[in-house]
Amino acid sequence: MWLGASEPGSAGGATWTIRAGLADPGCHSFEMPGSLNTYLIPAVEGLSPNGNPLASGLTVAPSDGSDAFRRKATWCVEQRSAEVLALRSLAYPKYYLRRAGSAVGLGRNGPECEATEVPKPGQLPPTICQRMWASAGFAAETVWRVGVPNPPDTSSPIAQRLLNDDGLRARVGDPVGAEQADGPVRWRDYQHARLYWRADTGVHEVRDQILDVYLNRFGGHRFANFGPPVNDQSVTPDGIGRYSHFVNGGSIYWTPNTGAYGVWGSIRAKWAELGWERSFLGYPISDEHDIPGGRRSTFQGGWIDWIANPGRIVVCTGSPETSTSCKTPA
């Protein structure tokens, strides 16, 4: 999409990479090519008493990961005809991408003057107002034609790793969706996996049952004890299981007999100290969960408790339901 020439820091750049909407995947976000995570947003510094923007400009800015930014960076399509469409701001639903000649801005179909203070009793019209774009050209100035779709995107770290890793391409298959972003985290879905990237972790895959648990039981990269992955899904030393480690100190382990479960924090650290799945505990058979006074993870050969007061770890053998060899303080 071409939005007109400008300088960096304004509505910059003549071309944009069209992404799935940051706040609504059914809409769109416009990312500046060559500037990952930098998007086109309304340049709004204040709102009128009616809740409307007191500016009509656009700017480009890096995402701060907030819900407010995601809404500002999201533009939803309104089809005006078979050939043309309008792009409405999700953050300011009365406002649209609007152009007049080479100027591009934020425009609405309404009064040219927006009140900047609440009128006093008997005061009509308000004595102070902000001039807005004239409404006369609204219909013609808010339509855009859709031309050639985005060419294949080879600029992102995800695309670059995929292009240079034959084994990874064979494992993940073909893409099934556009690359998406949530603050500094980016991902793209493929037939058999999802690839994640963050500047400090690089590009890594999560797939199969581990991906299902990561997304549907823990909420993916937003889960505080996980974040994005720091390794490609790997085979355990015994050849039986699979695992993924995540940047915030959590892991998910899977075997055909146990399924996939998450371990993190002090319990994970103790399990690692004992030798991971090669210890007498074996693989996890539960996610970490609350118990009176602490937290617990259950394994094939026993369990590990974290006791909040005084902050200690208890390692036990057998089953929590039947074992009498290890009594955890209530």
Side-chain angles (χ1 to χ4, degrees):
M1 174 174 286
W2 188 83
L3 293 179
S6 58
E7 297 299 322
S10 66
T15 59
W16 301 84
T17 301
I18 303 174
R19 303 290 188 195
L22 299 188
D24 182 344
C27 301
H28 304 287
S29 293
F30 303 113
E31 185 180 48
M32 178 177 281
S35 298
L36 290 176
N37 213 35
T38 299
Y39 295 91
L40 180 72
I41 63 171
V44 175
E45 297 182 358
L47 300 176
S48 74
N50 295 323
N52 294 325
L54 289 173
S56 58
L58 299 170
T59 189
V60 290
S63 171
D64 61 9
S66 67
D67 289 339
F69 185 93
R70 284 191 283 268
R71 290 182 62 82
K72 289 179 182 179
T74 300
W75 304 85
C76 298
V77 169
E78 289 185 4
Q79 202 73 40
R80 296 282 175 84
S81 72
E83 296 183 347
V84 299
L85 53 83
L87 293 161
R88 176 178 53 82
S89 169
L90 185 66
Y92 308 107
K94 297 179 182 178
Y95 288 76
Y96 294 75
L97 279 183
R98 189 172 179 180
R99 69 188 185 283
S102 62
V104 180
L106 187 70
R108 70 179 185 202
N109 188 15
E112 296 180 35
C113 186
E114 178 68 32
T116 57
E117 64 179 20
V118 178
K120 296 176 182 178
Q123 180 188 42
L124 291 174
T127 57
I128 302 175
C129 70
Q130 175 70 43
R131 296 285 296 178
M132 307 298 288
W133 283 31
S135 60
F138 178 81
E141 293 170 357
T142 55
V143 293
W144 303 86
R145 293 184 181 273
V146 178
V148 178
N150 284 344
D153 182 8
T154 59
S155 63
S156 77
I158 291 175
Q160 290 175 5
R161 183 179 171 196
L162 200 69
L163 288 170
N164 290 284
D165 191 329
D166 294 341
L168 182 65
R169 286 200 306 277
R171 292 195 302 273
V172 304
D174 295 327
V176 295
E179 188 170 309
Q180 300 186 56
D182 181 16
V185 180
R186 304 181 74 88
W187 69 90
R188 190 172 188 183
D189 287 322
Y190 295 82
Q191 289 173 304
H192 310 299
R194 175 178 283 190
L195 294 183
Y196 279 91
W197 171 87
R198 201 171 77 180
D200 60 333
T201 62
V203 178
H204 298 289
E205 60 168 297
V206 188
R207 56 192 172 94
D208 305 323
Q209 291 88 344
I210 289 179
L211 176 61
D212 179 65
V213 166
Y214 179 60
L215 297 179
N216 297 316
R217 217 152 68 214
F218 294 108
H221 67 275
R222 292 190 180 185
F223 182 56
N225 294 297
F226 285 167
V230 294
N231 71 304
D232 292 333
Q233 183 170 301
S234 303
V235 179
T236 53
D238 63 11
I240 297 172
R242 304 289 186 272
Y243 67 92
S244 286
H245 294 320
F246 302 92
V247 71
N248 294 336
S251 301
I252 298 177
Y253 275 74
W254 170 89
T255 76
N257 294 326
T258 62
Y261 293 99
V263 190
W264 57 85
S266 299
I267 291 176
R268 176 183 180 271
K270 173 56 71 172
W271 185 46
E273 178 186 317
L274 294 171
W276 301 98
E277 75 284 350
R278 289 168 290 180
S279 69
F280 69 90
L281 289 170
Y283 286 91
I285 56 174
S286 80
D287 295 322
E288 183 177 314
H289 56 279
D290 288 327
I291 59 170
R295 304 275 294 173
R296 171 177 294 169
S297 284
T298 307
F299 299 83
Q300 291 171 305
W303 70 97
I304 301 176
D305 286 349
W306 172 76
I307 308 303
N309 188 10
R312 67 189 180 95
I313 290 289
V314 177
V315 181
C316 308
T317 60
S319 166
E321 290 74 28
T322 61
S323 176
T324 60
S325 64
C326 182
K327 293 293 185 180
T328 304

